[in-house]
Each structure stands twice: as C-alpha cells, then as structure tokens.
Amino acid sequence: MTSGNFSCCEPKNFVQDKVCNNFTVEVATEATAVVLYATNPTDVIFASGFIKNLGTLPITVQFVKGADPVTGAGGTVVRVAVVPVGGAFTFTISRFDTIRAFAVGAAPETPAAGEFCITPRYAIS
C-alpha cells in the first residue's frame, strides 16, 4: 500500500479517546439538566457516539457551546435530540463543549436512565 496525498486538504493529526458510562436523570427541565460530558471550551473537538434510553421516560439531550462545565447552565444549544423509551440516538458533531440531559416527568423516585458513549477527537497542533 502507498500513502495518499490529497491536494484538496492538509493532513491533520488527531488524538482520540473513548468514554462510556451509564447515567440517570432525576431532573425534568433544561434549567436543571444533568451534565453527561464537558470539555475545555477552547478546544474544538469532533465527536461521534450514541445515547441509549434504558428507562421509562423520553430523554432530551442537548449539545451546547459555552455552558458552565460544572452546572451545565447557560450556553447556546447547537443540537438537540429526544431519545424515546427503548431507543437510541447516534451522533457525529463538532463545535460543542457540553452535553446535558433532562427528562420531562423525571424525579428522584422515578429517574430516567440511559447509556452514553462518546469518542472525541482533538486536533494536535
């Protein structure tokens, strides 16, 4: 095999991680959403992954730029998805720094539950 050189774009070097985790959501509104993932807001990442709903309530997932990395509050929502009960949502996205989730009707006694997996890629300069 030979290595290809493309004249249309410069080669880029990336570092890649993978994070998978189960989660519960005990909050029902965007204002109290749970942070599933947060990264440095100055890094531009490219990420793919999935969110699977394992509970009994639909889960709303938001990809946000500029949210508080601890509380998840604020920021600009760049993409949103509602994951139905028993369903899954796959994504490929860039230009975000926080992923947060909430579920209408969720409470500590009746939380929503899911599985979250993300493979972020960061450009090495």
Side-chain angles (χ1 to χ4, degrees), residues 4-6 8-16 44-46 95 121-125:
N5 292 322
F6 298 101
C8 64
C9 55
E10 294 181 29
K12 295 189 180 352
N13 293 318
F14 290 89
V15 64
Q16 177 174 302
V44 175
I45 67 168
F46 305 89
R95 293 175 176 65
R121 289 169 289 288
Y122 305 86
I124 299 173
S125 42

Side-chain angles (χ1 to χ4, degrees), residues 22-92:
N22 291 327
F23 66 91
T24 57
V25 177
E26 299 177 349
V27 294
T29 67
E30 178 179 334
T32 56
V34 173
V35 174
L36 299 180
Y37 178 83
T39 190
N40 185 339
T42 60
D43 289 338
V44 175
I45 67 168
F46 305 89
S48 56
F50 69 88
I51 298 167
K52 183 191 249 184
N53 188 331
L54 303 173
T56 59
L57 297 167
I59 299 171
T60 301
V61 179
Q62 296 177 326
F63 295 80
V64 185
K65 180 72 174 166
D68 182 287
V70 176
T71 66
T76 302
V77 176
V78 295
R79 187 169 182 190
V80 78
V82 177
V83 186
V85 173
F89 168 69
T90 60
F91 59 86
T92 298

Side-chain angles (χ1 to χ4, degrees), residues 1-5:
M1 289 188 150
T2 60
S3 63
N5 292 322

